[in-house]
Amino acid sequence: AKAGGRNNFQFFTQEMNQTVQERLVLEGDLRVAIERGEFLLHYQPQVEMSTGRVVGVEALLRWQHPVHGLVAPDRFIPVAEETGMIVAIGELALKAACRQLASWLAEGLPPIRVSVNLSARQFRQDNLPAVLLDILRETGIGSHLLELEITESSAMDNPAEAILHLQGFREMGVELAIDDFGTGYSSLSYLKLFPVHRLKIDRSFVKDIDTDTDDAEIAAATIALAHTLGKEVVAEGVETEAQCRFLQGQRCDIVQGYYFSRPLPPEELVPYLRNTPVP
Ligand code: C2E
Ligand code: CA
Ligand code: CA
Ligand code: CA
């Protein structure tokens, strides 16, 4: 689908340039996509630096559009957010990711975590804990094998409320990560109060980590701070060996990026796991 090139995606131009007409078509298509179940997930491995093992996968949404082919989330999630459709789509993603993990476990794959992205709107939904409990019960996966990723900005939107929601998830045994860390404005005092297991250093800091001293220092400080608070660090967007080496030197716990693997369709992830050490 990526090979299809950008032209296939012209229909979904940057939101700012979208005509009202295009936007209405996209909204209508999204509604149909929810009914017809046109969404699927790709899975990107997360590698533990100390052992080289795959300890988890991040589930990333894709839309198999009947005309435009495989559509990346940046093209439709903003509109799904604005219209509220993200709540239904996000629920589908949560359910699909947990079902996928249950089926891998049934096939005898060693247990790994599956991380699912939560939109700000989903995170605020009062019935999310009930939805989660249903999914965990239906799929039978251990709650500690599910990780929810909440962006720093959605956590900081209303930190006091976020802490309550996070505590609720934590009591269910679900693991938690702050996504895109460093791009928002969380104060250190809040970071201490967020009951999360991990921080994910945003790709924008990882990109020039081995050449830009500012980025290197930010990453090093983030890792040290997280460890002081008893949290693990995941670096996202790791593309080169040099970035990897730097992160290893800083004792980053987990790495994720094209250097190891692109997000893979589930049928490609299994052979990848079979050829890579897993716990
Ligand atoms: P994110 O959560 O920050 O996910 C990481 C993005 O970086 C993914 O893009 C992934 O494919 C990409 N990536 C991974 N490794 C590398 C690398 O080495 N280099 C580069 N350049 N990129 C890398 P993707 O799959 O297009 O997803 C984009 C965003 O869409 C995600 O960013 C997330 O914010 C959102 N998203 C994806 N799935 C879901 C979902 O189920 N629910 C919600 N609410 N948002 C989702
Ligand atoms: Ca993420
Ligand atoms: Ca991220
Ligand atoms: Ca990001």
Side-chain angles (χ1 to χ4, degrees), residues 44 58 61-62 73 77 117 119 179-180 203 239 257-258 263:
Q44 187 174 38
E58 179 175 2
L61 262 177
R62 304 289 180 260
I77 285 189
N117 292 283
S119 80
D179 202 0
D180 298 346
R203 194 166 80 219
E239 295 184 355
Y258 296 166

Side-chain angles (χ1 to χ4, degrees), residues 130-245:
V131 168
L132 277 170
L133 281 175
D134 267 359
I135 294 175
L136 290 171
R137 198 176 306 128
E138 184 218 290
T139 58
I141 63 165
S143 55
H144 65 290
L145 293 180
L146 174 63
E147 179 176 72
L148 302 177
E149 297 191 2
I150 293 106
T151 63
E152 182 185 22
S153 54
S154 70
M156 286 308 293
D157 191 40
N158 181 344
E161 192 185 75
I163 290 166
L164 285 177
H165 286 219
L166 293 168
Q167 270 164 354
F169 298 138
R170 201 171 168 128
E171 277 157 26
M172 291 168 53
V174 168
E175 308 251 303
L176 301 165
I178 301 274
D179 202 0
D180 298 346
F181 188 76
T183 59
Y185 301 95
S186 40
S187 70
L188 300 184
S189 52
Y190 275 119
L191 190 55
K192 191 177 152 193
L193 293 173
F194 288 140
V196 300
H197 302 75
R198 296 175 189 90
L199 298 183
K200 294 191 79 174
I201 303 183
D202 191 63
R203 194 166 80 219
S204 56
F205 296 105
V206 174
K207 197 167 161 283
D208 299 318
I209 207 167
D210 53 322
T211 51
D212 182 310
T213 48
D214 288 341
D215 287 348
E217 276 169 30
I218 290 169
T222 303
I223 294 168
L225 169 71
H227 287 168
T228 302
L229 296 173
K231 302 179 194 311
E232 288 190 326
V233 178
V234 183
E236 64 176 25
V238 177
E239 295 184 355
T240 68
E241 195 186 336
Q243 291 166 345
C244 208
R245 254 202 303 267

Side-chain angles (χ1 to χ4, degrees), residues 63-92:
W63 175 12
Q64 188 67 59
H65 189 283
V67 177
H68 305 289
L70 205 62
V71 182
D74 292 338
R75 301 279 162 167
F76 62 89
I77 285 189
V79 174
E81 276 272 356
E82 275 173 50
T83 54
M85 286 189 269
I86 191 67
V87 175
I89 297 171
E91 234 180 274
L92 289 171

